[in-house]
Amino acid sequence: MKKIILSLAFVALLASCQDKTKEKLDEAKDAITKEVTTSIDSAKIKAEAKLDTLKDKANSKVDSLKLKSAEKIEKATKKLKEAVNK
């Protein structure tokens, strides 16, 4: 009889602990989900900022190359005009 009562008490204890464990697991899952979402958002913002700076640098280099090539074309046309006039 003692064994049966002890077994029932043990099963009841396990059942009550199981509910608390599920609650703790749910809380932990929610906390991890929030943390991961925050990390992803932070990484996304950083990546967008770096992409913007890279775009700006690339655009400035392209503009610089356009100016240099325009100057070289002007010099070449002047030389051609001088050669034609001689």
Side-chain angles (χ1 to χ4, degrees):
M1 186 72 165
K2 283 184 180 181
K3 289 183 180 181
I4 294 173
I5 293 173
L6 286 175
S7 296
L8 290 175
F10 185 70
V11 170
L13 180 65
L14 286 177
S16 66
C17 288
Q18 188 178 17
D19 291 337
K20 290 179 184 177
T21 304
K22 283 183 182 179
E23 289 175 10
K24 287 182 181 180
L25 286 174
D26 288 340
E27 290 173 4
K29 183 178 87 173
D30 292 341
I32 290 173
T33 302
K34 287 179 185 178
E35 192 172 319
V36 168
T37 303
T38 304
S39 297
I40 289 172
D41 290 343
S42 175
K44 184 178 177 182
I45 290 169
K46 287 179 183 177
E48 287 175 349
K50 286 189 179 188
L51 282 174
D52 288 342
T53 57
L54 288 174
K55 284 180 185 178
D56 291 341
K57 286 181 181 179
N59 286 336
S60 67
K61 285 186 179 183
V62 167
D63 291 340
S64 175
L65 289 173
K66 283 181 183 178
L67 289 174
K68 287 179 182 178
S69 63
E71 289 173 0
K72 287 185 180 183
I73 290 174
E74 285 180 25
K75 287 181 183 178
T77 54
K78 284 182 184 178
K79 286 182 181 178
L80 283 174
K81 285 181 184 179
E82 289 175 3
V84 169
N85 289 336
K86 288 184 180 182

